[in-house]
Amino acid sequence: MGCGTSFVKYVLFFFNLVVALLGLLLVGIGVAFLMNWTMVKDLLKTHLAVGPWIFIVVGAVMFVIAFLGCCGAIRESHCMVVTYAIFLLVIIIVQVVISVLLFTYGESIKESIMDGVGVLFKKRSDANADEAAEAVFSELQRQFECCGNTGAINYGQFTLPESCCVKKSILSTFAGNNCTVDAANPGCGPKIGELYQKWNKPIAGVALGVACVEVVGALFALCLANSIRNMDRRYA
């Protein structure tokens, strides 16, 4: 058995055990966010509402796939190990494709995101205002601490929605303590675009790094699957 079944089996088991624990950690962080654990929120410095669900979904997927790999390795199940390897290879391909797109079409994606913000703002400010778009854009302003498409000027008025301001100004006290133009946050389009510009390449780099580690896991899995199949044939 060229791969050394016992060695590969235990390496694959511990590799997936670590991945499973990381998956549970991500799920725990996501649940902590949803339960509004102040200490965790302050530590990670984020308040994006969708964040907890991203953590939970990614963590759950990691745990399920890693659990499949662990079980397949310990039970020496050819079917489970091959299934695990296929899942892992699919994830690797997706990560590489996303990374390449982020590196290659970063500017185009940024422009598309900013255009999307503009379209959403236009929907909520049309004559036939879309209430759903109004609610979504208001939440967008609150989460990203921004105002309007390109700025407060898009509203064309002195007083603004409360979601446009983080802090009130002196003028706000004379305007019924409402959010005013002078205290408004910057435009949502540019701010979200800058946020994407800041994180797209680091995210792509991390995805490629993780993919390289996953390739090693997939190779171990395929090697173990081949060894198990050879053992089954030998003792058939």
Side-chain angles (χ1 to χ4, degrees), residues 21-39:
L21 291 174
L22 287 174
L24 287 176
L25 178 63
L26 288 179
V27 171
I29 291 172
V31 171
F33 270 112
L34 291 178
M35 293 178 69
N36 291 317
W37 286 6
T38 305
M39 184 176 71

Side-chain angles (χ1 to χ4, degrees), residues 67-81:
F67 182 76
L68 186 65
C70 284
C71 289
I74 291 301
R75 293 172 60 87
E76 295 188 7
S77 167
H78 180 267
C79 180
M80 291 180 73
V81 173

Side-chain angles (χ1 to χ4, degrees), residues 15-236:
F15 172 80
N16 284 289
L17 183 62
V18 171
V19 173
L21 291 174
L22 287 174
L24 287 176
L25 178 63
L26 288 179
V27 171
I29 291 172
V31 171
F33 270 112
L34 291 178
M35 293 178 69
N36 291 317
W37 286 6
T38 305
M39 184 176 71
V40 178
K41 290 171 73 177
D42 290 344
L43 180 65
L44 296 179
K45 303 293 183 186
T46 182
H47 45 64
L48 189 60
V50 75
W53 293 107
I54 293 175
F55 276 97
I56 290 171
V57 171
V58 171
V61 170
M62 284 174 62
F63 177 79
V64 170
I65 294 175
F67 182 76
L68 186 65
C70 284
C71 289
I74 291 301
R75 293 172 60 87
E76 295 188 7
S77 167
H78 180 267
C79 180
M80 291 180 73
V81 173
V82 169
T83 303
Y84 162 77
I86 291 171
F87 276 132
L88 206 55
L89 289 171
V90 169
I91 291 172
I92 291 167
I93 292 169
V94 170
Q95 286 176 202
V96 171
V97 169
I98 291 173
S99 298
V100 170
L101 288 175
L102 287 174
F103 277 123
T104 308
Y105 299 103
E107 197 60 36
S108 299
I109 295 172
K110 176 185 173 182
E111 290 174 6
S112 297
I113 292 171
M114 293 175 68
D115 289 343
V117 173
V119 169
L120 183 62
F121 183 81
K122 190 173 185 300
K123 280 185 178 180
R124 56 138 323 269
S125 58
D126 279 344
N128 299 318
D130 186 336
E131 290 185 7
E134 172 73 37
V136 169
F137 201 86
S138 179
E139 186 62 22
L140 192 74
Q141 291 182 146
R142 188 173 290 106
Q143 297 294 339
F144 286 95
E145 297 182 358
C146 57
C147 182
N149 179 23
T150 57
I153 192 172
N154 296 134
Y155 282 100
Q157 56 191 43
F158 183 69
T159 57
L160 304 167
E162 288 299 307
S163 56
C164 269
C165 292
V166 175
K167 296 179 180 179
K168 302 291 179 63
S169 67
I170 296 175
L171 288 178
S172 298
T173 59
F174 295 103
N177 206 33
N178 292 315
C179 175
T180 52
V181 173
D182 62 307
N185 297 318
C188 291
K191 185 158 188 179
I192 294 173
E194 287 171 10
L195 190 64
Y196 166 79
Q197 188 91 33
K198 178 182 178 181
W199 290 106
N200 73 321
K201 286 183 172 57
I203 289 171
V206 169
L208 283 177
V210 171
C212 291
V213 175
E214 289 169 343
V215 166
V216 176
L219 289 175
F220 272 106
L222 292 172
C223 185
L224 179 60
N226 183 60
S227 295
I228 293 170
R229 185 178 60 183
N230 290 338
M231 286 175 61
D232 290 342
R233 285 176 177 174
R234 185 172 289 117
Y235 295 106

